[in-house]
Amino acid sequence: MSVERPVGGQASGDETFPVSDAEIAVRAKALESLLVEKGLVSADAIDKVVSAYETDIGPMLGAKVVARAWSDPDFKALLLEDANAACEQLGIGGMQGEHMVVVENTDQIHNTVVCTLCSCYPWPVLGLPPNWYKYPQYRSRAVMEPRKVLREEFGLDLDESKDVRVWDSSSEIRYFVLPERPEGTEGMSEEELADLVTRDSMIGVGKPRDPQETR
Amino acid sequence: MVADMGGAAALPRKNGELVFETPWESQAFGMAIALSDRGHYDWEEFRQRLISEIGGWERSDEDERAVWNYYRHWLASFEALVKERGLLSEEEINERASEFVSGTRDDHHH
């Protein structure tokens, strides 16, 4: 409600940090202007980071990993045992991707990933987290009542017989989900399979696309 | 529907939502990573700051705290770290910010 006074002062040791969007925008601009002026970083380097995450690093990389796992049992075994080694085989890795763990959905188990501490998210395979993932409300509710959150917020109605497991990502371990391979995908190539894999299916709040819909 | 069709090139945007809502959010994101890339601090240091910054928000009084904005915490953590490292001072940031507000300094890029 009220946005009159700064928050997080104790954590950031900073009472002057602005609150309104316009003020924050100016603050960001001032920081960048000074950092560039002092030669601590170039404007170009900043832009490159942003465009990499906007265009090159995203869920399509995770989709490649999932598609390979669906097609190659040896790769899948490695992925479940050592996700980083498996991703490295596909040239995928990097920042915020240390210690990734893949959890497999089966006909009996559904996995969902949250982060109750901050927003730990495997950037190299999924890109940056969606906005809702970063909401504290999502994180706490998903832990308390995952089945209900999945049904009400994401329209994912899980069979009562399925065991729902919620994995809490931390700075040490970042989880992502290996969704179940959809039916009717026999004989599809890895590229075709990758097109079915959504970001939400790798966080465990959705299913892969139905192959009939993408034809 | 074309918009629902696959295709890796289009995935990051349509496979979810836009990552950044405002230009300053992407600016904040880019700065924090670029400075870490240049070795001005370890990424883990930034992360730990962000965790405690967000923790502070979560523990604060619901009626009194600012509306939730992830990148606001991101930028606050970044600024605090930059000051702690002596890369920039509070005074010069304030001064530069007021120059932008008053229009005595122009936006030369972005």
Side-chain angles (χ1 to χ4, degrees):
Chain A
M1 262 287 280
S2 163
V3 290
E4 291 305 308
R5 62 177 232 204
V7 293
Q10 182 237 346
S12 62
D14 178 5
E15 291 76 43
T16 60
F17 199 78
V19 175
S20 84
D21 200 62
E23 284 173 320
I24 300 177
V26 166
R27 201 77 185 167
K29 204 162 117 178
L31 285 164
E32 182 180 357
S33 163
L34 286 164
L35 292 168
V36 170
E37 190 176 287
K38 288 171 184 270
L40 295 165
V41 69
S42 68
D44 196 41
I46 296 172
D47 290 344
K48 271 192 188 139
V49 167
V50 172
S51 75
Y53 278 92
E54 281 182 332
T55 58
D56 304 332
I57 302 170
M60 70 283 193
L61 297 178
K64 264 170 71 178
V65 174
V66 169
R68 173 69 60 89
W70 283 346
S71 313
D72 177 346
D74 289 341
F75 181 82
K76 179 178 158 180
L78 178 62
L79 183 67
L80 293 174
E81 196 185 299
D82 183 346
N84 285 70
C87 289
E88 217 167 277
Q89 285 191 358
L90 300 181
I92 297 168
M95 228 170 151
Q96 293 265 130
E98 305 88 354
H99 313 299
M100 292 189 288
V101 169
V102 171
V103 286
E104 183 187 13
N105 282 355
T106 67
D107 53 2
Q108 284 157 30
I109 299 167
H110 180 86
N111 297 287
T112 293
V113 183
V114 299
C115 172
T116 45
L117 240 195
C118 61
S119 296
C120 311
Y121 196 76
W123 292 0
V125 285
L126 296 181
L128 298 178
N131 288 322
W132 51 259
Y133 187 85
K134 296 173 294 198
Y135 270 82
Q137 295 89 322
Y138 164 73
R139 295 185 269 125
S140 49
R141 267 196 71 205
V143 172
M144 313 263 293
E145 40 182 23
R147 216 175 264 279
K148 195 157 174 251
V149 169
L150 290 174
R151 188 176 54 240
E152 289 175 4
E153 308 292 335
F154 299 97
L156 184 64
D157 216 347
L158 294 170
D159 199 288
E160 283 302 320
S161 66
K162 268 202 188 191
D163 184 10
V164 179
R165 296 184 184 169
V166 178
W167 299 86
D168 192 354
S169 271
S170 66
S171 57
E172 282 75 40
I173 301 175
R174 286 144 226 270
Y175 294 95
F176 73 97
V177 175
L178 174 59
E180 277 184 280
R181 180 170 174 161
E183 304 206 347
T185 55
E186 301 75 16
M188 284 176 80
S189 71
E190 270 183 51
E191 275 113 59
E192 289 171 318
L193 288 170
D195 280 350
L196 302 177
V197 183
T198 61
R199 180 199 64 194
D200 286 2
S201 70
M202 294 182 282
I203 312 176
V205 299
K207 286 183 175 174
R209 293 190 185 90
D210 183 335
Q212 301 307 320
E213 285 171 18
T214 57
R215 288 280 156 83
Chain B
M1 264 174 25
V2 176
D4 285 329
M5 283 177 48
L11 276 174
R13 269 160 194 276
K14 110 184 135 54
N15 200 349
E17 63 216 81
L18 274 178
V19 178
F20 302 112
E21 287 186 342
T22 60
W24 72 259
E25 291 185 358
S26 59
Q27 208 174 5
F29 176 78
M31 284 192 287
I33 293 182
L35 257 79
S36 162
D37 284 348
R38 290 283 303 269
H40 292 296
Y41 45 79
D42 281 341
W43 185 243
E44 188 55 25
E45 286 176 76
F46 175 77
R47 271 183 33 76
Q48 290 307 327
R49 273 196 175 269
L50 182 60
I51 290 171
S52 65
E53 163 75 28
I54 290 176
W57 182 88
E58 285 186 303
R59 284 189 301 275
S60 61
D61 189 334
E62 270 188 49
D63 294 330
E64 296 196 349
R65 65 193 181 190
V67 288
W68 171 254
N69 179 314
Y70 178 75
Y71 283 106
R72 184 195 176 283
H73 299 295
W74 180 290
L75 189 66
S77 305
F78 173 69
E79 183 179 319
L81 188 53
V82 157
K83 286 188 286 202
E84 185 192 282
R85 284 304 158 97
L87 300 173
L88 300 178
S89 71
E90 172 79 20
E91 293 70 36
E92 59 187 340
I93 300 167
N94 287 342
E95 194 184 329
R96 183 61 51 100
S98 51
E99 284 169 9
F100 279 128
V101 170
S102 66
T104 48
R105 181 176 285 269
D106 238 352
D107 192 6
H108 42 258
H109 61 257
H110 281 289

